[in-house]
Amino acid sequence: MMMNIYRSEKNPIIKPENIRPFLSNFEVIGVFNCGVTKFNDEILLLLRVAEKPIGGSSDEILIPLLNSKTGSISIKVFDKNDPSIDFSDPRFLRSTREGCYLTSISHLRIARSKNGIDFNIDIKPALFPEKEYEESGIEDPRITCIDEKYYISYSAVSNITGITACLASTYDFRTFKKHGIIFMPDNKNVVIFPEKIKSKYYALSRPASGEFFVNDIWISESSDLIYWGNHKRLMGTRKRYWDSLRVGGGAVPFKVDEGWLEIYHGASEDGRYCIGAVLLDYNEPWKVIARSKEPVIEPEIDYELNGFFGGVVFTCGVLYEKGVVKIYYGAADTAIAYAEVRLSDILEKMEYQAGL
Amino acid sequence: MMMNIYRSEKNPIIKPENIRPFLSNFEVIGVFNCGVTKFNDEILLLLRVAEKPIGGSSDEILIPLLNSKTGSISIKVFDKNDPSIDFSDPRFLRSTREGCYLTSISHLRIARSKNGIDFNIDIKPALFPEKEYEESGIEDPRITCIDEKYYISYSAVSNITGITACLASTYDFRTFKKHGIIFMPDNKNVVIFPEKIKSKYYALSRPASGEFFVNDIWISESSDLIYWGNHKRLMGTRKRYWDSLRVGGGAVPFKVDEGWLEIYHGASEDGRYCIGAVLLDYNEPWKVIARSKEPVIEPEIDYELNGFFGGVVFTCGVLYEKGVVKIYYGAADTAIAYAEVRLSDILEKMEYQAGL
């Protein structure tokens, strides 16, 4: 039975051609995976903007890299004919000698809207790579508002340090403070709960075990959002489901009558990314109550099926209002789309069972 | 120029045949990678004891696994002729369908000695796998004494959760408290500094980035040893050195005139594990002052070259007394050996340079 989804007729609501490149001699190849929050009387998105260097011969791949000492972006050139390098994935290359490099570099940029559909997009980044661990960019922000302070959890990528989970904060979305790495590599998809639960903050994250091929969602606790511990595995992949290969947190969880609702992503062996939901216990959020049997949103429409990396819907943020879940999501690692789903529809189609 | 090393004539000082198996129908295949501390008037080792199920046909591999619900060890049987499983490494198997499993299961056991060479070994484990994340065993303990409390940092291995870094504590080495996971997968080789530095505790650890092939040493800080943050990459591998493929913390760091001396391990592309040293700034331990150009100990002697996994020397603990570093180390993942090296010899042969 299909979910009733309303996708905006204006989808994709933000496309690469709407974004002015920040770096000279770069093009914007993707604007996707945005965090969302309400700020003052507006809906604010924090966009992931991926830029790629223009130029190079047909035999070359140009890799953009931050030089953390100077703050400038340099270009490292790889030879497409080098047999020791795997170029099969458009998102990165793998060199047996030099490790992994992303083919684009992402920063975070603000977009503002009164109606949640038509956005004014800043010309300059809100957050830009600066540190050694951000050498290949900063990605996939989530925004959690706690006591009028906005916490931004994002992923940083670097050939030197791998994929790390980082934290920044702001009061005004004009000046930002970076708080460094909260989870060591490889870890991404951090979403921080919007309030303390029995005197502790909680966050979901997705550590990856390269040795054991595990890509599950974990839950961690903290007293101050900087120092984290008591890490527990929350939920894993499910064989023969839409989330059989990897799962990761999506939106900041929000309270519903039944518990915390977390809109997350799952990928299957064929590389298809879908959006689903998991319900967590209200007081003990490390307990799973129910989980979407089928995806809430799956890639079906042209802009979801085709793009820089097709067959992907991926959310970093939703708004929940009056029984409606308003989902901002990256489509095909290229553009941002918007959809609405009734909470009751999501809850009705979940599998309520323990020990998932 | 070679290091002057004194290896005990009684090496290996503890061998598998000295250990009574704890599990019935298991044999001890290795006793290695032990933490060390002084406790009362004795030298106490916390041994990693690896046990393997006896039996099975020549076509079978028997995998021991904790059932965390019952506390008992069950056996999972794999077919050696299954082409979807890689049996090439004696330490584990890799199944494309079912992930990775260790071929033995380790627990931690106490050995006591007056002279540091002849040890009485407990018959029962001090710490045994109990939790889901300890399904394939607990390994490689380090002991840090802080204010008369002994903290034990160890690795836990599980097909479900990967390799996690865990903490336990004891006052008396009779009763132990497990504090759960302090670093998410994959992470191992945690060594906790023995005192606060400017009001914070510090720990080294070795997160692994499977995506970026990074196996470096990081440093983290904490106010309470449970919640950790401000993670920084401390030092990486060095091309064309003995530690070119992976590095990891070894012994608990100790104070010398020049800073903190950390005895660590490094492996090269050929799978050879050596022991070396790194000197860290006294007040800012995230700064590397100097590092061993050549190994302090490398596998040379028969018991280091041959065994369950040959060509390995690996330490989890040293004692430092009167200018002498007394190194307890695992040899070939099979036995425990003992060696002494003068601190001055280690320091003289280091490369003093910034930005290593």
Side-chain angles (χ1 to χ4, degrees):
Chain A
M1 209 166 64
M2 293 292 291
M3 196 77 62
N4 289 313
I5 308 167
Y6 160 76
R7 284 177 171 90
S8 172
E9 311 85 52
K10 293 196 175 174
N11 271 353
I13 57 168
I14 306 179
K15 297 187 285 288
E17 51 264 42
N18 305 134
I19 311 284
R20 186 184 294 190
F22 175 67
L23 296 165
S24 47
N25 289 316
F26 277 67
E27 59 180 329
V28 173
I29 59 159
V31 50
F32 53 115
N33 302 0
C34 58
V36 59
T37 191
K38 286 192 167 181
F39 180 66
N40 296 334
D41 57 345
E42 295 185 310
I43 291 165
L44 185 148
L45 302 182
L46 194 53
L47 314 172
R48 171 177 170 189
V49 174
E51 301 192 355
K52 191 173 174 171
I54 296 170
S57 77
S58 58
D59 284 343
E60 291 173 335
I61 291 230
L62 308 184
I63 296 295
L65 286 172
L66 169 79
N67 180 330
S68 59
K69 291 187 184 76
T70 64
S72 63
I73 306 293
S74 60
I75 305 291
K76 193 175 166 83
V77 181
F78 286 87
D79 179 355
K80 275 189 189 166
N81 303 310
D82 185 336
S84 73
I85 304 176
D86 178 0
F87 295 101
S88 61
D89 193 305
R91 298 170 297 179
F92 50 78
L93 63 82
R94 284 188 196 279
S95 155
T96 47
R97 278 193 307 276
E98 301 191 66
C100 195
Y101 288 97
L102 300 196
T103 54
S104 64
I105 186 163
S106 292
H107 65 262
L108 308 183
R109 208 180 294 194
I110 290 171
R112 293 179 175 85
S113 172
K114 297 282 181 197
N115 65 7
I117 298 292
D118 302 294
F119 282 89
N120 290 315
I121 298 157
D122 282 5
I123 288 171
K124 289 191 175 170
L127 286 160
F128 197 78
E130 292 170 293
K131 310 284 189 184
E132 184 185 74
Y133 56 84
E134 298 173 334
E135 192 191 47
S136 286
I138 58 178
E139 306 181 349
D140 300 357
R142 280 83 170 178
I143 306 170
T144 301
C145 181
I146 303 174
D147 300 334
E148 299 186 2
K149 189 170 179 179
Y150 296 83
Y151 292 91
I152 300 158
S153 48
Y154 64 95
S155 307
V157 183
S158 160
N159 176 267
I160 299 165
T161 52
I163 303 166
T164 51
C166 302
L167 187 68
S169 65
T170 184
Y171 288 99
D172 56 10
F173 287 96
R174 292 178 188 277
T175 58
F176 297 84
K177 185 176 177 187
K178 285 187 180 174
H179 301 283
I181 295 171
I182 56 170
F183 299 129
M184 286 182 276
D186 281 337
N187 201 315
K188 52 164 79 170
N189 302 315
V190 171
V191 294
I192 296 170
F193 284 65
E195 57 185 71
K196 281 187 178 178
I197 302 165
K198 296 193 171 175
S199 83
K200 294 287 183 195
Y201 296 108
Y202 286 87
L204 307 181
S205 77
R206 212 286 298 285
S209 167
E211 296 285 344
F212 283 77
F213 319 118
V214 183
N215 290 285
D216 293 348
I217 299 178
W218 286 57
I219 187 164
S220 306
E221 62 176 53
S222 175
S223 299
D224 55 15
L225 300 164
I226 301 295
Y227 298 93
W228 293 87
N230 201 9
H231 311 286
K232 292 185 175 78
R233 178 179 173 272
L234 176 72
M235 59 182 246
T237 55
R238 295 177 296 182
K239 281 182 187 169
R240 293 176 295 280
Y241 279 67
W242 55 276
D243 52 1
S244 57
L245 182 67
R246 56 185 73 197
V247 288
V252 171
F254 56 94
K255 276 196 273 191
V256 297
D257 289 345
E258 296 81 358
W260 291 98
L261 196 75
E262 164 61 13
I263 307 293
Y264 74 99
H265 74 264
S268 53
E269 274 77 7
D270 53 3
R272 193 165 173 265
Y273 279 75
C274 297
I275 292 169
V278 58
L279 190 62
L280 306 176
D281 186 87
Y282 184 71
N283 293 309
E284 299 177 308
W286 54 90
K287 292 186 178 168
V288 171
I289 298 171
R291 199 162 154 186
S292 297
K293 193 174 176 182
E294 301 293 338
V296 172
I297 307 179
E298 55 191 320
E300 292 177 304
I301 316 295
D302 175 62
Y303 54 82
E304 298 164 347
L305 294 169
N306 302 300
F308 181 63
F309 197 79
V312 172
V313 293
F314 188 104
T315 187
C316 295
V318 305
L319 297 173
Y320 174 61
E321 286 171 331
K322 297 174 186 163
V324 178
V325 184
K326 303 176 173 187
I327 305 176
Y328 293 87
Y329 63 99
D333 278 13
T334 300
I336 290 173
Y338 173 79
E340 294 181 353
V341 188
R342 294 201 65 78
L343 176 66
S344 54
D345 275 2
I346 293 175
L347 292 175
E348 265 171 32
K349 298 189 173 74
M350 291 180 106
E351 281 186 321
Y352 282 74
Q353 59 185 84
L356 270 167
Chain B
M1 208 163 66
M2 294 293 289
M3 196 77 62
N4 289 313
I5 309 166
Y6 161 75
R7 285 176 170 89
S8 172
E9 311 85 55
K10 292 194 173 174
N11 271 353
I13 57 169
I14 306 179
K15 298 187 286 285
E17 51 263 43
N18 306 134
I19 311 284
R20 186 185 295 191
F22 175 66
L23 297 164
S24 48
N25 289 317
F26 277 67
E27 60 181 327
V28 172
I29 60 159
V31 49
F32 54 115
N33 302 359
C34 58
V36 59
T37 192
K38 287 192 166 180
F39 180 66
N40 295 336
D41 57 345
E42 293 184 313
I43 291 165
L44 185 148
L45 301 183
L46 194 53
L47 313 172
R48 171 178 171 188
V49 174
E51 301 192 354
K52 192 176 177 170
I54 296 169
S57 78
S58 59
D59 284 342
E60 292 173 335
I61 291 231
L62 308 183
I63 297 295
L65 286 172
L66 170 79
N67 181 329
S68 59
K69 291 186 184 74
T70 63
S72 64
I73 306 293
S74 61
I75 304 290
K76 193 174 166 82
V77 181
F78 287 86
D79 179 355
K80 276 190 192 167
N81 304 311
D82 185 336
S84 72
I85 304 177
D86 177 2
F87 295 103
S88 61
D89 193 305
R91 297 170 297 180
F92 51 80
L93 63 82
R94 285 187 196 279
S95 155
T96 49
R97 278 193 307 276
E98 301 192 66
C100 194
Y101 288 99
L102 300 195
T103 54
S104 63
I105 186 164
S106 291
H107 65 262
L108 308 183
R109 207 181 293 196
I110 290 170
R112 293 178 175 84
S113 172
K114 298 282 183 198
N115 65 8
I117 298 294
D118 303 295
F119 281 88
N120 290 316
I121 298 157
D122 281 5
I123 287 171
K124 290 193 174 168
L127 286 160
F128 197 76
E130 291 168 293
K131 311 284 187 181
E132 184 185 74
Y133 56 83
E134 298 173 333
E135 192 191 47
S136 284
I138 58 178
E139 308 182 347
D140 301 357
R142 279 80 172 181
I143 306 169
T144 300
C145 182
I146 302 174
D147 299 334
E148 299 186 3
K149 189 169 179 180
Y150 296 83
Y151 292 90
I152 299 158
S153 49
Y154 64 95
S155 306
V157 184
S158 161
N159 178 267
I160 299 165
T161 51
I163 304 166
T164 50
C166 302
L167 187 68
S169 65
T170 183
Y171 288 100
D172 56 9
F173 287 96
R174 292 178 188 279
T175 60
F176 297 84
K177 184 174 178 189
K178 284 187 182 174
H179 301 282
I181 295 171
I182 56 169
F183 299 128
M184 285 183 275
D186 283 332
N187 200 315
K188 53 164 78 170
N189 301 315
V190 171
V191 295
I192 296 171
F193 284 65
E195 59 185 68
K196 281 189 178 174
I197 302 166
K198 296 191 172 175
S199 83
K200 295 287 182 195
Y201 295 109
Y202 286 86
L204 307 181
S205 78
R206 212 287 298 282
S209 166
E211 296 287 344
F212 283 77
F213 320 118
V214 182
N215 291 283
D216 294 347
I217 299 178
W218 286 56
I219 186 163
S220 305
E221 62 175 53
S222 176
S223 298
D224 56 15
L225 300 164
I226 300 296
Y227 298 94
W228 293 87
N230 200 10
H231 310 287
K232 292 184 174 79
R233 177 177 174 272
L234 176 72
M235 58 182 247
T237 55
R238 296 177 295 182
K239 281 183 186 167
R240 291 176 296 279
Y241 278 69
W242 56 276
D243 51 2
S244 57
L245 182 69
R246 57 185 74 198
V247 289
V252 171
F254 56 93
K255 276 196 269 191
V256 298
D257 290 343
E258 297 80 358
W260 290 99
L261 196 75
E262 164 62 13
I263 307 293
Y264 74 99
H265 74 264
S268 52
E269 274 77 6
D270 53 2
R272 193 165 173 265
Y273 279 75
C274 298
I275 292 168
V278 57
L279 190 62
L280 306 176
D281 185 86
Y282 184 71
N283 293 309
E284 299 178 308
W286 55 89
K287 292 186 179 169
V288 171
I289 298 172
R291 200 162 154 185
S292 297
K293 192 173 177 183
E294 302 292 338
V296 172
I297 307 179
E298 55 192 321
E300 292 177 303
I301 314 295
D302 175 63
Y303 55 83
E304 299 164 346
L305 294 170
N306 302 301
F308 181 62
F309 196 80
V312 172
V313 294
F314 187 104
T315 186
C316 294
V318 305
L319 297 172
Y320 175 61
E321 288 171 328
K322 297 176 188 162
V324 178
V325 183
K326 302 175 172 186
I327 305 175
Y328 293 87
Y329 62 98
D333 278 11
T334 301
I336 289 172
Y338 174 79
E340 295 181 352
V341 187
R342 295 201 64 78
L343 175 66
S344 54
D345 275 2
I346 293 175
L347 293 175
E348 265 171 31
K349 297 190 174 71
M350 291 179 107
E351 281 186 320
Y352 282 75
Q353 59 184 86
L356 268 168

